[in-house]
Amino acid sequence: MQGYIDCHCHISATEFDNDIDIVIENAKRAGVVALLAVAEHAGEFEKIIKLSQRFPGFIAPSLGVHPVQAVDETQQRGAVLDDLEAAMPLIEQHKDQLVAIGEVGLDFTPRFVSSDTGKDQQRQVLIRQVEIAKRLCLPLNVHSRSAGRPTIQLLKDQGAENVLLHAFDGKPSVAMEGVKAGYFFSIPPSIIRSEQKQKLVKQLPLENMCLETDSPALGPEKQVRNEPKNISICAEYIAKIKGVPVERVVEVTTQNALRLFPRLKTLLTI
């Protein structure tokens, strides 16, 4: 199969509200054959489902609760826990349409979480979503900012087998622990300006890599809206680092995505 699969994209972001049709058309012209639309909170679940219905065979929904959502840690109990309660019945409602559970994970960035209590809340939310994913036989689309090692360890401890670690910001040696567990890592266009991502790609096996844009974030230029059409930048830079033809990168990463997210095959009627 020829074409790119964007394995992690926030196509429901308000940044795309005014020109979504153009964004999708530009992505298709750039060779994108599917994109996984990830959620951050229950409030955008319906929007993602409607987008998947508006662009059938192209937008694949992935619903989950992000570890922080810019929640003020001083808020009582933690809104992320409350959001999970709202999310669970919606995930059940749309379970047959989903290709993954996500965006889930841990984010231990100091500006988001500074106490053990806040970190424990995030772990609770992630564990419950791992359980949901296992019960529904769905893979996990995982965020792990400033928390690479604890995220991988928690996933392994909970028996998570089908995992995509998106835009991993940890050390290559930590990523290799995920490789040993059979996990995949998706690489965004920001690789062209990230020494950390370049080092990561140098060590990761191509057989454990997928492509993503994380649109509208993590584009080739800072502070400029990223789009799914930029996914070719990831493939080209990976090819450069690995010393292989870009066609090989596209072929392998697409097959990796189809193996990790088997429901994509039904979506794309392959």
Side-chain angles (χ1 to χ4, degrees), residues 235-249:
E236 291 165 2
Y237 212 93
I238 291 170
K240 177 182 176 181
I241 292 174
K242 291 295 191 184
V244 299
V246 67
E247 293 81 7
R248 174 67 177 161
V249 173

Side-chain angles (χ1 to χ4, degrees), residues 152 165 174-185 204-205 208:
I152 289 174
L165 288 148
V174 176
M176 293 307 292
E177 296 175 15
V179 169
K180 290 177 183 177
Y183 299 164
F184 293 84
F185 294 77
L204 283 175
N208 290 83

Side-chain angles (χ1 to χ4, degrees), residues 15 37 40 90 94 123 132 139 162-163 168 189 211 221 269:
E15 288 90 335
E40 291 191 346
L90 295 173
H94 298 295
R123 289 189 181 96
I132 294 168
N162 301 310
V163 172
F168 191 77
L211 305 179
E221 299 177 77
T269 62

Side-chain angles (χ1 to χ4, degrees), residues 4-12 16 32 34-40 44 60-67 99-105 140-144 164-168 184-189 210-219 226-228 231 234 257 260-261 264:
Y4 304 95
I5 294 178
D6 186 344
C7 290
H8 188 101
C9 175
H10 297 270
I11 201 66
S12 60
F16 296 122
V32 179
L35 62 82
L36 270 72
V38 296
E40 291 191 346
E44 63 180 330
S62 175
L63 305 184
V65 175
H66 189 282
V99 297
I101 298 297
E103 176 176 3
V104 304
L140 289 154
N141 208 312
V142 180
H143 173 105
S144 58
L164 178 76
L165 288 148
H166 106 91
F168 191 77
F184 293 84
F185 294 77
S186 53
I187 310 300
C210 293
L211 305 179
E212 68 158 285
T213 62
D214 199 29
S215 302
L218 299 188
N226 190 19
E227 295 184 27
I231 200 164
C234 320
L260 176 59
F261 304 107
L264 277 177

Side-chain angles (χ1 to χ4, degrees), residues 191-233:
I191 185 175
I192 69 171
R193 54 183 175 85
S194 170
E195 184 177 350
Q196 179 268 333
K197 295 287 186 295
Q198 294 164 17
K199 289 180 179 179
L200 182 67
V201 164
K202 187 174 183 179
Q203 190 159 336
L204 283 175
L206 186 57
E207 290 70 23
N208 290 83
M209 274 191 262
C210 293
L211 305 179
E212 68 158 285
T213 62
D214 199 29
S215 302
L218 299 188
E221 299 177 77
K222 282 187 176 182
Q223 309 304 322
V224 176
R225 185 185 75 168
N226 190 19
E227 295 184 27
K229 69 177 182 180
N230 290 328
I231 200 164
S232 61
I233 294 171

